[in-house]
Amino acid sequence: MKKMNFEANQKEVLQFVEELQRDPLLEGYEINQSNANDFYILKEDKKNCASCNGLSQCKNMNEGYALFYEDSNFVLQPCRFKKEANRLLNEDQKIKTLFISKSILSANLESFDITTPNRKKIYEHILKFLTQYQQNKFIKGLYLYGTFATGKTFILGCIANELARKGIVSLIIYFPDLVVELKSSIGTSRLEELINYLKSVDVLFLDDLGSENMTPWLRDEILGPVLNYRLMEEKPIFISSNIDPTTEDLRLHFSLTKAPSDQLKGARIQSRLEGLVIPIELDNPQYKR
């Protein structure tokens, strides 16, 4: 951007100032030699912003920002595109993901499919959850179950994005990969960090629970304590799974053996889940996202 060099001929300087004073974009401003360069930048920013369609096309000296004159001071302010980019960045930072595709961050309620009774029920519960959670009222999350390719993960992403817009931090995890990470972290501080975050994050999303290789260690040292902590502290959790929790299948998955002690532990995990989530089946296996 070309500006006037005030080391130049005084006549040229005065001409430069007069041109700015006559410019319609700068009408009403008191322009003189000491502030002419700044007003020139302000004028160019205004012109550029008027024809700009996005940050990738920004021609301003400070990308995404324009110079304004307020209270006798020149200030840089973000343009509408920069504000939107900052808002989206802030939302993304509210959603923590582990071992799950970043594409889930594009999910939103505007594209939510409510063409079946159960999907409509899920949608209504999400709206109810968002309202009551902001009012500091405990409300159960959801246990979404059904066959493959029904959109369970997509729905988790929708909820996480709505929470992010409200400033609520959430963590979405692909559970089978988390199990691998936990096992590889045994004996390190990483294990304790992961467990503590699973317990403490505002809202926890476990994607594809039941696809992991369940072991006594995972059940008794990881999943049980996490679920118990979140139940006692009234911290919501959302789960997707292929296992129907309304049958014995889920309890058997956690029981591992037919030994009475294992059966009791499996039932205890299922009981904690019942205190945290409402099970709803996704009833449209043809649905693709």
Side-chain angles (χ1 to χ4, degrees), residues 228-279:
N228 187 64
Y229 181 91
R230 299 193 69 84
L231 180 61
M232 297 299 293
E233 296 296 323
E234 296 188 335
K235 288 183 171 291
I237 186 170
F238 288 81
I239 294 171
S240 73
S241 178
N242 296 323
I243 301 178
D244 185 346
T246 65
T247 67
E248 286 195 341
D249 292 347
L250 188 63
R251 179 179 61 80
L252 293 175
H253 175 73
F254 294 125
S255 296
L256 302 177
T257 74
K258 293 183 179 180
S261 59
D262 271 349
Q263 293 290 312
L264 180 61
K265 291 176 180 177
R268 187 177 295 124
I269 294 290
Q270 187 168 20
S271 176
R272 288 168 181 166
L273 285 173
E274 289 172 355
L276 285 165
V277 295
I278 296 172

Side-chain angles (χ1 to χ4, degrees), residues 12-31:
E12 293 179 1
V13 171
L14 293 175
Q15 183 179 353
F16 175 72
V17 172
E18 289 173 1
E19 288 176 357
L20 291 176
Q21 291 170 340
R22 292 193 301 267
D23 196 303
L25 289 176
L26 300 178
E27 185 176 358
Y29 293 115
E30 295 184 4
I31 303 172

Side-chain angles (χ1 to χ4, degrees), residues 22-267:
R22 292 193 301 267
D23 196 303
L25 289 176
L26 300 178
E27 185 176 358
Y29 293 115
E30 295 184 4
I31 303 172
N32 52 52
Q33 293 186 31
S34 63
N35 61 24
N37 265 343
D38 289 322
F39 273 114
Y40 178 81
I41 296 173
L42 185 150
K43 181 194 74 168
E44 291 298 302
D45 283 358
K46 279 190 173 185
K47 287 171 56 179
N48 293 335
C49 289
S51 60
C52 183
N53 293 315
L55 284 179
S56 61
Q57 300 180 17
C58 182
K59 298 177 181 178
N60 289 354
M61 181 181 297
N62 298 280
E63 184 177 300
Y65 292 85
L67 194 64
F68 290 84
Y69 189 67
E70 297 179 353
D71 299 325
S72 302
N73 292 301
F74 289 94
V75 293
L76 275 175
Q77 293 184 356
C79 69
R80 65 185 188 280
F81 299 114
K82 184 66 175 177
K83 288 179 181 178
E84 177 65 9
N86 289 341
R87 183 185 70 80
L88 293 174
L89 176 61
N90 184 57
E91 288 181 2
D92 286 350
Q93 291 173 341
K94 296 292 183 184
I95 306 175
K96 314 297 182 181
T97 60
L98 281 177
F99 322 112
I100 202 164
S101 172
K102 289 290 185 180
S103 63
I104 195 66
L105 300 181
S106 64
N108 59 77
L109 284 182
E110 286 76 13
S111 54
F112 194 98
D113 178 3
I114 54 173
T115 56
T116 69
N118 278 10
R119 291 179 186 277
K120 185 176 181 181
K121 188 186 301 183
I122 292 168
Y123 183 80
E124 290 172 348
H125 183 80
I126 292 172
L127 297 182
K128 181 180 178 182
F129 175 86
L130 293 171
T131 299
Q132 294 198 11
Y133 186 87
Q134 279 205 299
Q135 296 173 349
N136 293 321
K137 298 178 181 177
F138 176 71
I139 179 171
K140 290 183 179 181
L142 291 171
Y143 182 108
L144 305 175
Y145 66 98
T147 58
F148 296 103
T150 54
K152 296 186 292 292
T153 305
F154 172 80
I155 292 174
L156 297 186
C158 286
I159 303 167
N161 274 309
E162 290 301 317
L163 290 171
R165 292 179 184 179
K166 299 176 184 300
I168 300 166
V169 177
S170 63
L171 173 64
I172 306 181
I173 298 176
Y174 181 64
F175 195 65
D177 282 351
L178 171 67
V179 173
V180 175
E181 175 71 10
L182 288 167
K183 288 180 179 178
S184 67
S185 301
I186 293 176
T188 70
S189 60
R190 169 72 170 163
L191 179 62
E192 185 176 355
E193 290 173 0
L194 284 170
I195 295 174
N196 287 338
Y197 198 60
L198 292 172
K199 290 179 177 180
S200 62
V201 67
D202 291 342
V203 183
L204 177 63
F205 296 84
L206 299 182
D207 186 38
D208 211 9
L209 179 71
S211 295
E212 76 288 343
N213 180 25
M214 182 55 61
T215 65
W217 172 80
L218 177 61
R219 178 193 63 195
D220 301 336
E221 303 298 326
I222 307 297
L223 190 58
V226 168
L227 294 179
N228 187 64
Y229 181 91
R230 299 193 69 84
L231 180 61
M232 297 299 293
E233 296 296 323
E234 296 188 335
K235 288 183 171 291
I237 186 170
F238 288 81
I239 294 171
S240 73
S241 178
N242 296 323
I243 301 178
D244 185 346
T246 65
T247 67
E248 286 195 341
D249 292 347
L250 188 63
R251 179 179 61 80
L252 293 175
H253 175 73
F254 294 125
S255 296
L256 302 177
T257 74
K258 293 183 179 180
S261 59
D262 271 349
Q263 293 290 312
L264 180 61
K265 291 176 180 177

